[in-house]
Amino acid sequence: MRARVTLAAVAALAVLAAAGCSGDSSPLPGRPSASAAPAPTGAAPVDDSCRPRASLKPAGALPAPGRMPAGSYMAEIFKRGRLVLGTSQDTLLFSSRNPFTGKVEGFDVDMGRQIAAAIFGDPNKIQIKVIGYDKRVSSAMDGSVDVVADTMTANCARWKDVNFSTIYYDAGQKVLVSSTSTAKSIDDLGGKKVCAAKGSTSYDNIAKRPAKPIAVDRPGFGDCLVAFQQNEVDAISTDDTILVGLAAQDPYAKVVGTAFTEEPYGMAMSKKHPEFTRFVNAVLAENRANGTWKSTYERWLGDFGAAPRPPVAEYRD
């Protein structure tokens, strides 16, 4: 117990991976959420009214950096002199603040840098704006950021408010338990307390499991880690990407089971600029083909195995 309390103090200071990855289910002001959980014992309806993986088809070959089409949103970004990326600062390996340099870095940040490179010819022409995970949709909508890359699941409810890029990473929800636990999956945790971030779809999904684990919320997944280390909850459940970061902070924890949800990550952008979504998709298509996606994976996630094939692009027009 003493070891766990010590680790809890470290986690409270670092709070890495605190932002929810499978996303916020909190409604926008004035709009009910299709995925909001009515209560821990209920199951939120899933909005499957669209093809969430399918995005806008690229308009053609990418223009040369510095030569953005006149009147396009890319030309506006170029004139401003920087791309504004919305992301978190505490999602280890995807977008977390390096304690030595103070810079936010990771897989998601590199996705943003690749867009900046396509516009400017320079990946450093980027401003990183740290946003709350429950502000990702509204930040893309109101134009306070150009693009959100923040372990954000593309789903039909969100497509109503923002455009998503094609899928750049496939994640899935798993469970983290004590290294001494005999549980092999979340379905072995019936009646046990399983933590997820308040308002996250991870929280919603726990309540849907037939074994009836008890969903417990905390403000963020870093708070869940502290609760786990203080023996207030038995497990944590969210996307495998977040759990890897949490497990890296606690030698007495392990991630178990196969994914029981699909969490396709897309970058979110305002619906006001569909040409920008098409441009981003052209960048992603080029980077899948030329090996940039693979090298980005190997840089940040290579310790966990060989790079898989990047998600296949799907288009809706």
Side-chain angles (χ1 to χ4, degrees):
M1 178 64 182
R2 179 173 298 173
R4 285 214 157 178
V5 171
T6 301
L7 284 166
V10 173
L13 291 172
V15 201
L16 294 174
C21 150
S22 63
D24 61 283
S25 61
S26 304
L28 292 171
R31 173 177 291 186
S33 170
S35 60
T41 56
V46 176
D47 182 354
D48 59 359
S49 59
C50 75
R51 294 167 55 212
R53 290 177 171 267
S55 186
L56 305 181
K57 187 180 295 184
L62 282 169
R67 304 189 65 178
M68 298 298 103
S72 68
Y73 191 62
M74 296 82 76
E76 183 178 330
I77 294 171
F78 184 81
K79 183 178 180 181
R80 182 201 305 147
R82 67 192 185 282
L83 174 80
V84 183
L85 171 69
T87 193
S88 67
Q89 64 178 347
D90 44 25
T91 306
L92 192 64
L93 303 178
F94 277 78
S95 54
S96 61
R97 193 172 296 279
N98 185 312
F100 299 103
T101 66
K103 295 181 178 179
V104 178
E105 59 186 23
F107 189 91
D108 278 345
V109 175
D110 278 5
M111 292 291 109
R113 290 189 182 280
Q114 289 157 20
I115 299 169
I119 295 173
F120 299 99
D122 182 352
N124 295 316
K125 294 279 191 178
I126 189 169
Q127 175 188 344
I128 296 175
K129 184 173 183 179
V130 174
I131 57 176
Y133 84 97
D134 58 344
K135 301 296 183 184
R136 292 174 297 182
V137 170
S138 59
S139 294
M141 286 180 67
D142 65 21
S144 56
V145 302
D146 298 317
V147 59
V148 174
D150 191 10
T151 59
M152 186 174 183
T153 300
N155 60 36
C156 294
R158 292 176 180 151
W159 261 106
K160 294 174 182 177
D161 297 311
V162 296
N163 280 346
F164 279 101
S165 69
T166 52
I167 302 308
Y168 68 89
Y169 190 91
D170 274 309
Q173 188 168 343
K174 294 184 181 180
V175 65
L176 178 146
V177 296
S178 167
S179 57
T180 60
S181 173
T182 59
K184 300 298 183 183
S185 74
I186 194 170
D187 293 321
D188 295 325
L189 296 172
K192 301 293 186 180
K193 295 179 179 179
V194 181
C195 190
K198 184 177 183 178
S200 70
T201 55
S202 296
Y203 176 84
D204 300 348
N205 292 334
I206 293 168
K208 299 175 186 178
R209 301 310 299 172
K212 299 187 182 303
I214 301 169
V216 175
D217 65 28
R218 291 291 188 272
F221 284 105
D223 303 285
C224 280
L225 181 60
V226 173
F228 173 75
Q229 292 171 335
Q230 293 181 334
N231 296 317
E232 295 172 0
V233 299
D234 301 288
I236 304 169
S237 184
T238 185
D239 298 356
D240 48 7
T241 49
I242 295 298
L243 293 180
V244 164
L246 295 175
Q249 299 172 74
D250 189 340
Y252 303 101
K254 62 182 179 180
V255 180
V256 298
T258 57
F260 57 90
T261 68
E262 293 182 0
E263 308 294 344
Y265 294 169
M267 287 181 269
M269 292 150 280
S270 170
K271 285 182 172 290
K272 297 176 182 177
H273 311 294
E275 77 281 7
F276 183 49
T277 303
R278 296 181 193 277
F279 178 87
V280 169
N281 285 340
V283 174
L284 288 172
E286 184 174 275
N287 289 348
R288 291 186 194 99
N290 67 16
T292 298
W293 187 94
K294 180 181 179 182
S295 63
T296 305
Y297 182 97
E298 289 172 344
R299 178 184 181 191
W300 296 107
L301 305 169
D303 288 347
F304 304 102
R309 290 186 178 183
V312 175
E314 298 181 25
Y315 300 112
R316 57 179 60 199
D317 68 351

